[in-house]
Amino acid sequence: MRPGRPRTPQVSGTPSVVGRLAPRSDGTVPFSVEFNPPKDMAAEARLWRAAREFERMHPAFVSMTYGAGGSTRDRTARVTGQLARETTLLTVAHLTAVGHSVAELRSIMGVYADSGIRNLLVLRGDPPGDPLGQWHKHPEGLEYAEELVRMVRDLGDFHVGVASFPQGHHRSPDLDHDTRQLCAKLRAGAEYSITQMFFDVDDYLRLRDRVVRCDPAQGAKPIIPELMPITSLRTVQRAEELSGRALPAPLLARLERAAGNDPEANRDAVREVGIEIATEIGQRLIAEGAPCLHFITLNFAKATTEVLVNLGYSLASAAVQV
Ligand SMILES: Cc1cc2nc3c(=O)[nH]c(=O)nc-3n(C[C@H](O)[C@H](O)[C@H](O)COP(=O)(O)OP(=O)(O)OC[C@H]3O[C@@H](n4cnc5c(N)ncnc54)[C@H](O)[C@@H]3O)c2cc1C
């Protein structure tokens, strides 16, 4: 079942993510990229190199995750603001409820609004240190992302997206419960969702069907699939953390075959297979009518660019170094 094209609310004339989901001028499906907050100046320089590379390829939007504590948080707000002000990239800031009072959340939104950011991906966040650990709401904070969606919408001028989970969120008792909570977030005012990364496209299609069955009006809102090119056996572990699931055995077997007895010597072969796998996932998603492909980049442009080229995108800058 393919969702129809949704209506796009206007917020102060700022482009919204949904407003950027029309096919690109060459007919290809839009793509977008996710960055992570840099931890130090060297990482910040790398992020900027990737951002400038992507800027030339005209992604629909870029998003910046939000996490960790202390100085990284300050750096996150500063760099996200700079991306919005100093590039042509439509910048989405992730906003998480975890560890914050309502007053702090309002203040973070104020910082983003001052930088001209009008698109937020609204999330609950995970307990710091151990994503699977016990969840404790901040005493003056919020329990669920749905409440934060309402708060952000009540405060006014923001376009809101939320997270969705093709295989269900790890705290959901079952998929029906999980789908009902996603529909509640969408009804609260979210315009679209971005999925947790996955390896089996059927899981994405089943999620899409579940949302349509749960609430046809919310099923018309875009569900943007997230994918990540695997570039080494080490990134398998990162991919598994981000997807919350083990890599399917046949995919792992392909990577391990390429690695043979010497993963270090065969790292180019492993990388090639990783790019091939992401390309296959992208091809199927495009064939199934996904509204956009959202890439986890780990602040590198090269692997995502290779996948896009394999998928037939003609990009202004295909010979990317980082
Ligand atoms: C695309 C994407 C980007 C992300 N970016 C970040 C990031 O930048 N920083 C970060 O820290 N984390 C990030 N996360 C991780 C996310 O914060 C965690 O997965 C978190 O555990 C769930 O967040 P949520 O917004 O889906 O929470 P919620 O929607 O609040 O759901 C959390 C759990 O509670 C259940 N639930 C929701 N409402 C109710 C209710 N009313 N009654 C009973 N149960 C309910 C849900 O079914 C689910 O099991 C991201 C996840 C995705 C998919």
Side-chain angles (χ1 to χ4, degrees), residues 34 64-68 94-96 98 121-127 131 143-147 162-165 169-173 177-179 181-182 184-185 194-197 226 242 294:
E34 180 181 288
M64 177 67 84
T65 64
Y66 186 88
H94 294 207
L95 179 69
T96 60
V98 63
L121 189 72
V122 169
L123 305 140
R124 173 158 105 159
D126 284 316
E143 180 74 38
Y144 294 115
E146 179 189 346
E147 296 161 54
V162 289
S164 54
F165 298 85
H169 183 260
H170 60 272
R171 291 182 204 273
S172 294
H177 175 278
D178 193 79
T179 311
Q181 302 311 335
L182 170 59
K185 288 191 285 192
I194 302 181
T195 71
Q196 187 172 45
M197 188 200 141
E226 185 172 69
L242 288 167
H294 189 61

Side-chain angles (χ1 to χ4, degrees), residues 44 51 98 101 110 164 302 319:
E44 191 170 327
V98 63
S101 65
S164 54
K302 196 164 185 277

Side-chain angles (χ1 to χ4, degrees), residues 100-103 105 137-142:
H100 283 306
S101 65
V102 164
L105 289 166
K137 159 177 162 334
H138 185 286
E140 288 152 29
L142 303 172

